Amino acid sequence: MRRTADVVIIGAGVTGAALAYELARRGIRNVVVLERRFPCSGATGRCGGGIRQQFTTTHNIRLAMESVEHYGTLAEELGVDIEFIQGGYLILAETEEEREAQRKAVALQNDLGLPSRLLTPEEAAEILPLLDITTIKSATYCPTDGHANPFRVVEGYLRRARELGVVLEKFTEVVDLEPRGERIVEVRTSRGPISPGLVVNAAGAWSGEISRMAGVELPNKPVRHEIAITEPVEFFMEVMVISIHNGIYFSQTMEGQIIGGIGLPDERPGYNLSSSLRFLRTYSRELLRYVPALGQLSVLRQWAGLYDVTPDAQPILGPTPGLENFIQANGYSGHGFMIAPAVARHLADYIEKGVKSEILEKLSLERFKEEIRGEAFVVG
Amino acid sequence: MTHASRVTRQEPKDEPIVCRCEEVTLPEVVQAIREGYDTVEELKRHLRVGMGPCQGRTCLPLLARVLARETGRSLAEVMEEISTRPPLIPIPFEVWRGK
Ligand SMILES: Cc1cc2nc3c(=O)[nH]c(=O)nc-3n(C[C@H](O)[C@H](O)[C@H](O)COP(=O)(O)OP(=O)(O)OC[C@H]3O[C@@H](n4cnc5c(N)ncnc54)[C@H](O)[C@@H]3O)c2cc1C
Ligand code: FES
């Protein structure tokens, strides 16, 4: 194993993989990616693959819009079919307050140039004819939202990064970090130490633990989210559906499988990754309320992953106050896959040139000293 | 998580099949192992082997044997790494919902 590296990236999920590639592309090639298990073994390989831009904070909207642009050309750039489909996202609301929140969100999104629209229930049913609109008050729709295959995205990024000289160390766990003065001077792993130029904390739900090794507390908490996939059925929905009423999301894969999940409101923070019957019951009930026609469709598998949740549901990006060579790239709060291409570019530009973009300024760890105004739509 | 689209093949394959549900052949498995996908969990995600309707009941033991042979690890060690995901047999949403 290499004993020195210009950049040590901890975690080979979509964040670590995308950043490794963006650095290598800029000529920063002495990069080592350390991964406790294997690429995609964290949240990335467990996620819904949804890519939406309909958020409620300026930064989330901007990052997602930039990412959608990158996702559009990524397959060609990486030479891998990432199965990116822009079938739109349909967001459902069931109460007056939710409709009002949707109206405000669309106004902000339109200001930022996103072509999202507020729909009546009948218009929503035109987009998804099998939708039961009995309880629907309103919906929003953005035709350029979509989904992609996380495994192919990570494989594509890592393959190109490695061709350019990046080293991936699988089954290599970071066990300690040694800060001295204003810097981390050593990364200790289960396979020996490395002296880093920079250290990037892309450890997803484990980023708090990594940070604590350097004596820095992050406000992030790991929260379990469960998800399930069905047998394939005839293709009937291009659109990905989510609801701000109950937090459900579901879409249809290229193979025809319905993949989706729902957040359980009383889930406690922790590293529990077991699959619950309660989830499957709640998800089935809410899914069949919206699309009763799916009653006979069988669930093939369920599993769980961890959201890495911050107090304002926006990521923590950039250098750590007091430890300038320790870069945070975590806290995605359940929407890290969709913004990864943009985040990687902002961070790689910063690492290359030392200049922070406006988004990095706004999403730095320091913001938690100030008042928190967060993302309201924390769904897939 | 969306999955790799299944390649629709017009002609039946001549090579020995490891996974019938997902139509994954022995040469495909061996090549993937040589490319570095050298654990059962990585192979599942890369090739979809073991992800079909039978949930790998038919093919995972075979896959483990190929992997052990290719990597020189013991069969027990390779089998140990396999994780399973419920419900193990397909069951419809209405049954889960209950009445
Ligand atoms: C059920 C579910 C559904 C989701 N749906 C969506 C969606 O539709 N759209 C979307 O955009 N996002 C979704 N998300 C969120 C998304 O999955 C994450 O935000 C994103 O994958 C984060 O990527 P990451 O690379 O930062 O973290 P991860 O993919 O978690 O990667 C972190 C890596 O760090 C490694 N690691 C941890 N500790 C150590 C250590 N000590 N040493 C070495 N390595 C270590 C882990 O093994 C892991 O591989 C979903 C999440 C879940 C759980
Ligand atoms: S034979 Fe491989 S999943 Fe059924």
Side-chain angles (χ1 to χ4, degrees):
Chain A
M1 203 165 101
R2 251 185 228 177
R3 293 297 165 214
T4 63
D6 292 337
V7 182
V8 171
I9 297 175
I10 306 172
V14 69
T15 304
L19 181 60
Y21 166 72
E22 288 294 343
L23 288 171
R25 207 166 63 84
R26 285 163 175 73
I28 302 170
R29 296 186 177 166
N30 184 3
V31 174
V32 174
V33 183
L34 303 173
E35 168 52 53
R36 175 164 59 192
R37 294 183 68 215
F38 49 84
C40 283
S41 58
T44 303
R46 297 159 186 273
C47 88
I51 299 172
R52 78 171 145 119
Q53 305 154 95
Q54 300 178 70
F55 282 96
T56 66
T57 73
T58 305
H59 309 304
N60 276 344
I61 297 168
R62 283 226 176 103
L63 280 172
M65 285 176 71
E66 280 176 32
S67 274
V68 163
E69 212 182 306
H70 299 334
Y71 269 122
T73 55
L74 203 57
E76 200 181 330
E77 191 176 335
L78 300 177
V80 170
D81 179 8
I82 60 165
E83 297 172 17
F84 179 48
I85 303 179
Q86 283 177 292
Y89 252 67
L90 186 65
I91 307 186
L92 307 175
E94 293 191 47
T95 68
E96 274 310 321
E97 297 81 73
E98 287 163 8
R99 179 164 63 180
E100 183 51 22
Q102 287 202 316
R103 199 188 53 74
K104 284 197 185 130
V106 166
L108 174 65
Q109 291 156 5
N110 291 169
D111 272 352
L112 293 168
L114 190 72
S116 54
R117 305 199 303 270
L118 188 65
L119 304 183
T120 63
E122 291 71 25
E123 288 169 326
E126 277 168 31
I127 289 169
L128 183 61
L130 288 182
L131 181 69
D132 181 343
I133 55 171
T134 316
T135 62
I136 306 298
K137 271 269 170 357
S138 66
T140 63
Y141 175 67
C142 175
T144 55
D145 289 347
H147 49 89
N149 182 329
F151 296 109
R152 297 294 162 265
V153 170
V154 170
E155 270 176 28
Y157 273 131
L158 283 178
R159 186 176 311 159
R160 291 290 293 130
R162 293 167 79 180
E163 281 166 13
L164 294 170
V166 169
V167 174
L168 166 69
E169 301 286 0
K170 291 193 296 185
F171 296 99
T172 305
E173 181 172 5
V174 171
V175 292
D176 206 1
L177 298 173
E178 191 186 322
R180 196 175 299 154
E182 302 262 285
R183 297 176 55 77
I184 292 180
V185 294
E186 190 166 274
V187 177
R188 298 204 182 106
T189 82
S190 53
R191 296 174 54 225
I194 307 183
S195 312
L198 291 176
V199 180
V200 180
N201 182 0
W206 298 270
S207 55
E209 293 188 347
I210 295 289
S211 211
R212 218 163 293 136
M213 294 174 189
V216 177
E217 279 299 322
L218 296 183
N220 313 15
K221 289 197 172 65
V223 180
R224 174 179 69 166
H225 271 254
E226 297 182 75
I227 181 164
I229 194 161
T230 68
E231 294 183 317
V233 275
E234 198 179 318
F235 202 76
F236 73 96
M237 56 183 283
E238 234 195 358
V239 73
M240 175 139 173
V241 180
I242 70 180
S243 165
I244 54 173
H245 186 70
N246 52 22
I248 198 174
Y249 60 92
F250 55 97
S251 65
Q252 189 168 23
T253 70
M254 277 193 163
E255 301 201 291
Q257 297 169 296
I258 301 297
I259 181 167
I262 193 165
L264 299 176
D266 48 359
E267 189 71 44
R268 287 167 189 279
Y271 288 98
N272 177 10
L273 272 176
S274 59
S275 292
S276 74
L277 179 60
R278 195 164 67 98
F279 157 76
L280 206 48
R281 281 189 176 285
T282 312
Y283 173 55
S284 303
R285 187 187 69 221
E286 294 302 298
L287 179 67
L288 295 186
R289 218 159 55 74
Y290 290 147
V291 191
L294 296 180
Q296 288 293 319
L297 185 62
S298 286
V299 177
L300 203 56
R301 283 190 285 285
Q302 71 175 117
W303 63 93
L306 298 169
Y307 279 17
D308 176 26
V309 181
T310 63
D312 64 2
Q314 304 187 96
I316 299 178
L317 304 175
T320 309
L323 276 178
E324 290 302 311
N325 74 336
F326 189 34
I327 312 290
Q328 305 296 340
N330 48 61
Y332 295 103
S333 309
H335 47 265
F337 174 66
M338 56 185 90
I339 61 175
V343 164
R345 291 190 186 194
H346 283 268
L347 287 174
D349 282 343
Y350 168 70
I351 291 172
E352 184 191 12
K353 305 190 185 105
V355 184
K356 280 191 214 169
S357 63
E358 193 203 324
I359 283 187
L360 291 191
E361 291 283 359
K362 290 279 163 34
L363 294 181
S364 76
L365 179 56
E366 277 154 286
R367 75 179 182 275
F368 292 105
K369 290 185 197 144
E370 293 155 25
E371 195 198 342
I372 291 162
R373 204 199 143 272
E375 172 59 52
F377 298 170
V378 186
V379 216
Chain B
M1 162 186 58
T2 50
H3 292 292
S5 60
R6 192 179 323 198
V7 187
T8 319
R9 296 188 172 91
Q10 258 61 44
E11 289 161 36
K13 299 194 222 174
D14 292 336
E15 294 104 11
I17 299 262
V18 172
C19 174
R20 281 174 204 291
C21 294
E22 295 289 337
E23 278 194 47
V24 183
T25 67
L26 182 59
E28 283 169 337
V29 169
V30 170
Q31 194 200 329
I33 295 171
R34 292 185 183 156
E35 280 172 21
Y37 299 94
D38 54 7
T39 58
V40 174
E41 293 303 313
E42 285 170 278
L43 287 166
K44 279 206 252 179
R45 287 158 180 80
H46 181 61
L47 294 175
R48 300 183 47 78
V49 51
M51 307 283 268
C54 90
Q55 293 288 290
R57 252 189 301 273
T58 328
C59 60
L60 287 185
L62 188 57
L63 180 74
R65 218 163 306 142
V66 176
L67 187 58
R69 190 189 66 203
E70 284 292 315
T71 58
R73 292 153 65 208
S74 76
L75 189 60
E77 183 189 331
V78 169
M79 294 288 278
E80 190 122 299
E81 292 162 2
I82 301 178
S83 71
T84 55
R85 287 176 170 179
L88 299 179
I89 49 164
I91 296 174
F93 280 123
E94 4 180 80
V95 174
W96 294 113
R97 174 187 60 186
K99 289 293 157 238

